[in-house]
Amino acid sequence: MSHLMNTSGPGGGIVLAAGTPTVDPAGPVPQLVIAALVGVVVIIALITWLKVHPFIALTIGALGVGIGAGLAPDKAVTSFGTGFGDTMTSVGILVGLGSMFGKLLVDSGAADRVVDTLVRRSSKAALPWTMALIGALIGLPMFFEVGLVLLIPIIVLVARRSDVPVMRIAVPALAGLSTMHAFVPPHPGPLVAISTVGANLGTTLAFGIVLAIPVVILAGPLFAGFAARWVDVPAPELFGSRGGADAGAGAGGGSVSSDPAHEGRQARRGRATQDTASLPNGKSDFTRVISEPRSPSFAVALVGILLPVVLMLAQAIREATSPDAAGTWVGVLDFLGTPMIAIGIAAVYAMVFFAIGGGMDRSAVSKSLESALPPVAGVLLIVGAGGGFKQVLIDTGIGGVIADAVKDSGISVLLVAWVVSALVRVATGSATVATVTAAGIMAPIAHDLSSPVVSLLVLAIGAGSVFLSHVNDAGFWLVKSYFNTTVGQTFKTWTVLECLISVFGLLGVLLAGVFIH
């Protein structure tokens, strides 16, 4: 029984092998459909009702689908293991390197430097737009939860010092962060979808950034005005200032962040230095303590954040404009644009330049890198199990049945992908589970699509994966707790924000699909 195979394209983008033969169904079509439906229901029930970890739920569901569809038990296990291994090979390394880079970005003070510089140069009217940019920049290299924890004190501080309603500051920042998480690699969701459906990473990255810009504007600064009127809450008394002890005493005082990474930087670098700056409200008494006087410069930090994006985009542009080009420069560009190499270079850049600029010694760098990996272990297992589920759907022939049904229905493949992803998201509350499940179901369909449309398919899945965040989503409760809002107020702000990102993302994908074939 043959199955789809992943091969690396010229620029490291993952593409499906051409001419892959159709898999013979493991059983009658009604049996395949029932097995697939029951499998998805079991996965959702295990996660939502029995509170089973998604990795175990996906594993049980995948093996159950394989056996229920007619595969021998040992064949089902082999199929799941093959898919798990293939996905971890293509995605696991990238997630690990991306996590290391993000941790160094925070621990060195580089993230703080970027935020400080952008906020200081913004007028009061421009603050929502600046916060959207900050959320997007922080969201490029970091996982959503890490970026959210980093942004919260920034949002609170800026809102309190600028006399701007907190939702006008928070909504744009969260929009930038969540949009990057849904659409732009190297986040685990887009990466596993790219690997599963066989999209080119460089093309998807380019499309994702282009799509993210209008989505962030519509769901961020423009929606923030409505959100601030619907939910007029004061900035929470969480942080008086970001920085060391007694920070902000000259501007009203307040407590300080107890972030362990921040405390470690302060202890490592010794005495903090003060830096006085005026925020857009004209308060010249806004005194901040910069606890990382040797933090990397804004230019060094920005180069590090954008480096892997530029390398992968450069390769994608070269491949699109000069697909038949040859020579040394083509080989070098294709090598540097390979996702693993691009993100690896960014990680090494951070180890050298972030560490030097942040005053980190070798021991501190080693500890930072080591502490970056445990938090993503669960994500990697979920992603791998999603890949195993995808392979079972393919090897049983269920994928082919689904593909034929979608093609015969006349419904847009992109819309179907969004609906499947959105349904799983609403049921489980997990964007990652929604992405890996929808990608597995849509993988056989992608085989008959052109490469650009497959990239749009990934973005449609990403858009669906953030739809209607509600009480079964950890992000919902994080936002509610941080901003001291009621459940109703959180629905009016965070839930509506996520729905706008999802719907605007879908509309953008469908519009692009009219012109891209």
Side-chain angles (χ1 to χ4, degrees), residues 4 6 16 87 191-199 386-387 390 394 436 439-440 443:
L4 295 176
N6 286 337
L16 289 179
T87 302
L191 279 178
V192 73
I194 288 168
S195 173
T196 303
V197 305
K390 172 265 300 183
I394 291 174
V436 298

Side-chain angles (χ1 to χ4, degrees), residues 33-48:
V33 173
I34 293 173
L37 291 176
V38 171
V40 173
V41 171
V42 167
I43 291 171
I44 293 173
L46 288 173
I47 294 173
T48 58

Side-chain angles (χ1 to χ4, degrees), residues 232-376:
D232 186 11
V233 295
E237 297 288 336
L238 293 177
F239 307 92
S241 176
R242 292 165 57 236
D246 300 322
S255 60
V256 297
S257 171
S258 58
D259 177 31
H262 159 74
E263 292 175 357
R265 292 197 303 271
Q266 185 175 3
R268 198 167 57 241
R269 295 165 189 158
R271 183 177 61 84
T273 61
Q274 286 195 338
D275 182 22
T276 303
S278 295
L279 273 187
N281 61 358
K283 289 184 177 180
S284 60
D285 61 347
F286 176 66
T287 303
R288 296 181 58 255
V289 172
I290 303 294
S291 63
E292 49 279 340
R294 294 182 56 194
S295 60
S297 68
F298 175 76
V300 169
L302 191 61
V303 167
I305 292 172
L306 298 180
L307 182 59
V309 176
V310 171
L311 290 176
M312 288 187 284
L313 280 180
Q315 190 282 325
I317 292 172
R318 195 285 306 162
E319 188 177 27
T321 57
S322 306
D324 300 324
T328 303
W329 73 272
V330 174
V332 171
L333 189 59
D334 288 349
F335 173 75
L336 295 178
T338 302
M340 182 179 69
I341 300 301
I343 299 175
I345 290 174
V348 173
Y349 176 96
M351 291 169 60
V352 176
F353 293 101
F354 289 179
I356 292 175
M360 301 174 69
D361 57 23
R362 286 176 292 179
S363 176
V365 172
S366 177
K367 289 180 180 178
S368 182
L369 295 175
E370 182 179 353
S371 65
L373 295 178
V376 301

Side-chain angles (χ1 to χ4, degrees), residues 186-211:
H187 290 291
L191 279 178
V192 73
I194 288 168
S195 173
T196 303
V197 305
N200 180 280
L201 193 148
T203 303
T204 308
L205 177 62
F207 285 177
I209 292 175
V210 172
L211 176 64

